[in-house]
Amino acid sequence: MAVAGDSAGAPSTGARTAASAGYVNGVIGTGGALRVVDSASAGTITGAQLNSRPITRPGEALEAVPGLIVTQHSGEGKANQFFLRGFNLDHGTDIAIEVDGMPVNMRTNAHGQGYADLNFLIPELVGAVEFHKGPYFARDGDFASAGSVRIDYLDSVEKNLAQLSLGSFGYKRALSITSAPLGEGRLLVAGEAQTYDGPWDVPDRLGKLNGVLRYSQGTQRDGFSVTGMAYWAKWNATNQIPERAVSEGLIGRFGTLNPTDGGDTGRFSLSGRWSMTDETGITRASAYVIRYQMNLFNDFTYFLNDPVNGDQFHQRDQRILGGGEVSHVFEGSLFGLSMENEIGVQTRTDSIRVGLFNTANRQYRSTVLDDRVLEASAAFYYENRVKWTDWLRTSVGFRADGYYADVVSDTPANSGKARDGIVNPKLGLVLGPWFDTEIFVNYGGGFHSNDVRGVTATVDPQSPLFTLNRSPFLVPSTGYEVGIRNRSIAGLETSLALFRLDFASENLFAGDTGTTEPSRPTRRIGIEWTNRYAVTSWLSLEGDLTITNARFTDPDPVGNRVPEAPTTIASAGFTVGQGLGWFGSMRLRYFGPRPLIEDNSVRSKPTALLNGRVGYNFDNGMSLALDVLNLTNAKADQITYFYESRLPGEPAAGIADKHFHPVEPTAVRLTLAGRF
């Protein structure tokens, strides 16, 4: 019985070949498949669809989610910057990302709240992606107000893969994926190595090693999988630069004002999933433990705070986190009506050491803070889903979250304990289908947690004589959505959603610290139009458009515009090819102009990027593909900020200026893959 509509995570990703040299089909969902919740803006993406997109960096694969922009303002090893539904999500503040049931977002992170580093992602291993927009879904908790993305890896592959890619600016990547029967199950092994310099005057010198080992047994509803992952990377970073430094000829467009910026990171995890059916329904369980570390060296303001040594700082994050989820779906009936009741429990605990240090050329100068944090949370959720008639389905539920934290700071006045909780309703209504058309109504509450150091802190660690206003631990949001989905034309799925999202406090980028800070309450109202059209078995088209109005809702003379909130995001593309022979793909992505300060007097420029791919699948299992990135050689920006910085010889108070990170120029990448 399926009350909530089509289920995600089919046993196989399908036999159709992607427009990719290195994608191999396989089995997904052992021990529990991804689950779709009904709304006009929710859906699933197959691994084949995701891998049909030519991309610059792993995180960009998630631009397959309609309306999601994934960009970068620093070195390639740093977490991406995300934009969705009129949000600058920074590195993940209000978009919850999971890989195989493990959270990617890092709370109370050294660099940014919800920091979500996806550089360990191996796109060729992705079997399916489930996405939701808005805080309407009982399984979604912290960081999920704008949306959530759940990524599942393949459990096994139909054919083994050996792949080599070479490209512009020192790009080299080797990948191998293999799976084989072992006992009553399947063993999958994948390994990746990559180097990349980029077009920068100071090369990134990215070095990355990545591995996955998985054993799975059984089926989606009765089975289990155990997965180990290991990832390590180091890099140099060309961060955003002030426009005046380029116009005055101090540096070029791809130059830097601090050649020693950069970082390193490592992530090691062990996770498992299990599911079992009985006469009442299906039970699912998952658990994980992750060891994570990161070091970042950044300099955003140059000589504003320290005219002698400069403003470079080192952010260190070391943690072990663990948690899990257990849920049961009771399948039954109510007065002869199909019904499901789902209950679930989620837990997570982070043991963190987080520090901020002043540095020069990556050499230690002084400690700003060096804190130890224990942060734990637990959630209970319940949802009732009933199919009342052939044209009416409802979902009614709630989610309760509780948080506890203990901060031990090297500034004793900032130590302390914090507790908070929140309960949110989740409601959904589906009408139809009539003439292959469904109408969706959704409502729900959500939240994001703030960095708990801001919850317990009372004084500025750099200036202990100055007191601080404590931040709330949990910040509530409320979302509304009405949408329609139509499938009346064979092969075409089109949906239109009108949404609103209110936030009690917005997290905004602060250029002087390079982090995000709690700000004013906001409201976003927007419309989202999504189209997917399988014209034939070998040609598919897609097009998406999101228009959002984002405003602060409290009066303030500085203005009511939300900095970095995009008004327009659009994309369009096509994919051709099936099985053997030629294949190709092209994607256009438009990232509209944004206000950079509250009064809208300073705005960013729009960015339009075109990426293309052409390739050939040979009958001996070999494939060859050529990607051309930024095909038009657009001289656009990945990201633009506006804040004060100081160059040598400038006034002590600094100069307010646009700071930008440029799009890489046209680059080519050639990939040779063998499937055997």
Side-chain angles (χ1 to χ4, degrees), residues 40 49 53 63-68 131 133 486 491-497 527-535 539-547 568-575 586-590:
Q49 292 169 329
R53 311 174 70 89
E63 289 192 350
V65 175
L68 180 60
F131 64 88
K133 314 280 185 67
N486 177 268
L492 173 64
E493 178 177 296
T494 183
S495 63
L496 191 69
I527 189 168
E528 195 170 53
W529 185 30
T530 302
N531 300 276
R532 297 290 181 270
Y533 190 15
V535 183
L539 172 63
S540 61
L541 309 175
E542 60 188 58
D544 309 308
L545 174 65
T546 304
I547 299 175
T568 305
I569 290 175
S571 66
F574 67 84
T575 303
M586 187 167 287
R587 293 292 184 279
L588 172 67
R589 182 257 261 176
Y590 177 80

Side-chain angles (χ1 to χ4, degrees), residues 242-260:
E243 282 191 348
R244 65 187 186 279
V246 178
S247 62
E248 294 171 7
L250 298 177
I251 56 175
R253 182 172 172 80
F254 300 103
T256 180
L257 291 169
N258 194 329
T260 64

